[in-house]
Amino acid sequence: MSAVVIVGAQWGDEGKGKVVDVLTEKADVVARFQGGHNAGHTVVINEQKFILHLIPSGILHKNKLCIIGNGVVIEPAALIDEMKGLKQRGVDVRSNLLISKNAHLIMPYHIAMDNARERVRGAGKIGTTGRGIGPTYVDKMARTGIRVIDLYRPEVFREKIETNLGEINYLLKNRFRTKGFRAAEIFAQYRAYARKLARYVADTDIIVNEMIEKKKKILFEGAQGTLLDVDHGTYPFVTSSSSVAGGACTGLGVGPTRISRVLGVVKAYTTRVGGGPFPTEMTGDIGEQFRQKGGEFGATTGRPRRCGWLDFVGLRHAMRVNGLTGIAITKLDILDALPTIRVCVAYRRGKTLYRDFPKETSLLHTSVPVYEEMEGWNESTVGIKRFEKLPKNAQKYIRRIEETLGVKVDMISTGQRRNELIVLRNQF
Ligand code: IMP
């Protein structure tokens, strides 16, 4: 049995795209289990840069089945655009992509609600990507959501839009003082999407389980990261889905007994986009240095990412709630020129030390990080392919992460390209 879940161990943008891309070479199936086009995976192949939002990056390899699972929320126009862009660059989307019948659809009114709610939140805004993700999951849980399968039952589809608009238009007009939507327009627009997507729609839960039975190698690809998880993240500054490893089970219809490994992707430092607490955030020059060197700008929104030191308190939490079997360290080279490197070992408020990630968001806002300093290595690690070739202090940094988290480092990424990588343990 070889089903490996890949999750982000921080606030997303850990570099999962490259890790998944590399592992895909040995995989037969790559399946996405949550989130939507709020995510953005950047993959560089032969100097060509691909940014994917919804479609698993496995699509860039030949003959890998790529699945968008039931836990994902789909904005059909965004998906069709992404498919078109890939096709134009010669990628075979037709033969290799499947979409779950049960995935929920992002409707235009979800996007309007996302932005309207952010507007009224004022200073407490979450800093969402404005893609309608939250309101779509709200409808899913409220049992008023519209699923991919509904696209193919026109009468039911029309009725659902009309019913939902009854309430949403009221809110948009009276509460948020903005324009409402017309059911007929949405209906016509989505019927056109339905035609374009029809050939890809499938019972993906059955297919994934069949693949597991056949002993195929499967990657379950998470978006965002543990600290953005709706249950285990820095609530309410989170996304609205289960981005931890358990989300792979519900988001694809696979039992936990079928998962063989969970690989957590850890960036060698920390970043966060949007609002919310970030104890190890570096403001000023040093933060800016990281942002520029690491190219820390959102793949989806282009927003500058907030940058900070590695945070063991958050990572131990990620280790626990995901049950990680190994980690992949990314962007080690961004630390190359630093004389000293800090790691956060606890948070402090007043006289109290917190070694476990606090549940109280207010505490995260008001506590200060307790750092330990490590010597930097001051030489380039770009493109190094063997652990022994890393500068001694870089090796120490990696070992320190392993010891603190009690889990082995399976992989270290030393640059953007596919082959700039150290592999210490195979996943399949
Ligand atoms: P939403 O997912 O658009 O509702 O945004 C909720 C929070 O998650 C915001 O802070 C976003 O910046 C953050 N977020 C959503 N998707 C990503 C991602 O792919 N990487 C990093 N942050 C994300």
Side-chain angles (χ1 to χ4, degrees):
M1 192 168 73
S2 295
V4 182
V5 182
I6 315 287
V7 288
Q10 294 149 315
W11 277 287
D13 308 315
E14 296 91 352
K16 294 180 291 297
K18 173 173 168 185
V19 173
V20 172
D21 180 56
V22 168
L23 294 177
T24 299
E25 263 171 48
K26 299 219 171 73
D28 303 297
V29 183
V30 188
R32 216 2 237 278
F33 58 85
Q34 46 72 232
H37 65 315
N38 49 350
H41 285 173
T42 309
V43 183
V44 179
I45 301 171
N46 301 334
E47 310 300 325
Q48 270 203 81
K49 193 167 172 175
F50 292 86
I51 300 182
L52 296 164
H53 299 285
L54 267 168
I55 302 177
S57 48
I59 203 77
L60 304 173
H61 294 245
K62 282 206 170 65
N63 302 325
K64 309 284 177 180
L65 180 61
C66 292
I67 293 177
I68 299 182
N70 57 276
V72 177
V73 289
I74 298 173
E75 209 278 275
L79 176 58
I80 291 164
D81 253 14
E82 199 164 308
M83 290 159 83
K84 203 164 128 196
L86 287 168
K87 284 176 193 164
Q88 278 166 356
R89 293 169 80 175
V91 178
D92 182 6
V93 179
R94 264 184 170 240
S95 343
N96 297 318
L97 180 68
L98 293 177
I99 305 165
S100 167
K101 286 180 183 170
N102 281 2
H104 279 247
L105 293 171
I106 299 180
M107 308 296 288
Y109 50 81
H110 291 134
I111 299 166
M113 285 296 281
D114 193 0
N115 292 310
R117 286 209 174 110
E118 278 286 85
R119 233 182 6 254
V120 300
R121 278 185 194 117
K125 75 177 182 178
I126 293 165
T128 73
T129 57
R131 303 289 194 267
I133 308 292
T136 307
Y137 281 112
V138 167
D139 276 4
K140 172 175 174 172
M141 292 306 177
R143 294 157 295 181
T144 53
I146 303 185
R147 298 181 300 168
V148 168
I149 188 68
D150 296 323
L151 286 171
Y152 304 98
R153 299 186 297 166
E155 286 321 306
V156 176
F157 184 53
R158 187 197 294 270
E159 202 183 305
K160 286 194 173 193
I161 301 174
E162 279 166 4
T163 309
N164 287 352
L165 281 183
E167 192 174 299
I168 298 240
N169 276 345
Y170 179 84
L171 283 173
L172 287 173
K173 287 178 193 161
N174 300 300
R175 163 85 175 98
F176 298 112
R177 306 275 166 217
T178 180
K179 273 195 334 219
F181 290 87
R182 284 162 41 103
E185 273 173 31
I186 298 181
F187 181 76
Q189 192 185 3
Y190 276 61
R191 289 294 295 153
Y193 299 150
R195 282 189 285 278
K196 291 193 175 145
L197 295 178
R199 59 174 293 131
Y200 301 95
V201 178
D203 285 307
T204 53
D205 56 328
I206 297 179
I207 294 166
V208 173
N209 280 286
E210 273 172 6
M211 293 290 177
I212 294 174
E213 290 298 320
K214 287 184 187 155
K215 311 249 178 297
K216 297 284 183 196
K217 298 184 178 93
I218 309 184
L219 282 181
F220 296 143
E221 175 182 341
Q224 289 86 43
T226 303
L227 299 177
L228 285 172
D229 179 272
V230 71
D231 286 278
H232 300 289
T234 47
Y235 194 88
F237 299 97
V238 292
T239 191
S240 300
S241 63
S242 298
S243 49
V244 294
C249 294
T250 53
L252 284 161
V254 169
T257 50
R258 302 306 181 101
I259 309 279
S260 44
R261 281 177 196 272
V262 181
L263 182 68
V265 185
V266 175
K267 182 146 54 181
Y269 48 100
T270 314
T271 60
R272 165 161 216 177
V273 208
F278 183 177
T280 66
E281 182 167 14
M282 298 182 268
T283 46
D285 277 0
I286 178 113
E288 190 53 34
Q289 230 173 292
F290 266 75
R291 192 169 304 121
Q292 293 305 332
K293 185 142 194 242
E296 296 295 355
F297 297 89
T300 299
T301 57
R303 288 181 291 179
R305 295 180 186 140
R306 299 154 68 192
C307 298
W309 298 109
L310 197 66
D311 183 351
F312 283 143
V313 185
L315 286 176
R316 276 195 305 264
H317 171 67
M319 162 68 208
R320 203 175 300 133
V321 297
N322 289 299
L324 301 181
T325 58
I327 52 183
I329 309 270
T330 61
K331 293 196 153 181
L332 185 69
D333 55 298
I334 306 305
L335 306 182
D336 282 353
L338 294 171
T340 43
I341 296 169
R342 291 174 145 194
V343 289
C344 168
V345 293
Y347 304 149
R348 187 202 308 278
R349 192 170 69 170
K351 291 202 171 107
T352 316
L353 269 194
Y354 298 89
R355 291 191 182 274
D356 288 326
F357 200 70
K359 305 291 180 298
E360 301 83 350
T361 307
S362 59
L363 212 154
L364 283 168
H365 277 294
T366 51
S367 55
V368 291
V370 177
Y371 287 118
E372 280 182 22
E373 289 198 343
M374 299 184 68
E375 243 180 83
W377 44 92
N378 215 359
E379 70 187 92
S380 172
T381 58
V382 176
I384 292 183
K385 296 184 181 64
R386 290 190 28 222
F387 188 78
E388 309 75 64
K389 299 270 179 199
L390 284 175
K392 283 285 169 281
N393 284 346
Q395 293 188 18
K396 274 193 197 158
Y397 190 64
I398 301 289
R399 294 298 180 216
R400 177 73 200 272
I401 297 173
E402 279 187 332
E403 281 156 21
T404 309
L405 303 185
V407 65
K408 288 276 177 213
V409 170
D410 290 348
M411 201 186 262
I412 304 163
S413 167
T414 53
Q416 268 203 327
R417 292 177 190 82
R418 264 181 182 170
N419 63 350
E420 292 174 332
L421 190 73
I422 300 170
V423 178
L424 296 162
R425 182 162 66 157
N426 289 321
Q427 300 303 305
F428 294 117

